[in-house]
Amino acid sequence: MNSGASIISAVEFGRRAIRLRRKAVGLSQTELATAMGTTRQLLSALERGARGVSIDMALVAATELGLELRLVSRS
């Protein structure tokens, strides 16, 4: 993923940020889920952008994958 890419939905976050990065670093869903202290099913839900996945788990996944999240004002 390129630096500064805008993500505007949970689906984009899961697919573009988490899934692509996980695959790029060569981790399986099970390996990443274990590192996160969660289940493969919850990670799969995050990667699909499913409802009910907490922001905490999204941030843990990003951190484990070495991603930095930045909030930037659009104005």
Side-chain angles (χ1 to χ4, degrees), residues 2-71:
N2 65 355
S3 178
S6 293
I7 293 177
I8 60 169
S9 72
V11 172
E12 283 186 54
F13 180 79
R15 289 183 182 160
R16 288 180 49 204
I18 302 303
R19 182 179 290 153
L20 290 179
R21 176 67 175 173
R22 176 182 59 76
K23 289 182 175 188
V25 299
L27 292 175
S28 69
Q29 283 186 333
T30 301
E31 290 168 326
L32 178 55
T34 298
M36 293 170 57
T38 193
T39 63
R40 188 201 57 77
Q41 290 82 0
L42 189 137
L43 176 58
S44 177
L46 172 62
E47 289 186 352
R48 291 190 319 272
R51 291 179 175 258
V53 178
S54 74
I55 188 71
D56 290 335
M57 280 292 109
L59 293 173
V60 168
T63 299
E64 287 294 330
L65 292 169
L67 296 172
E68 178 181 88
L69 276 65
R70 295 179 188 211
L71 300 176

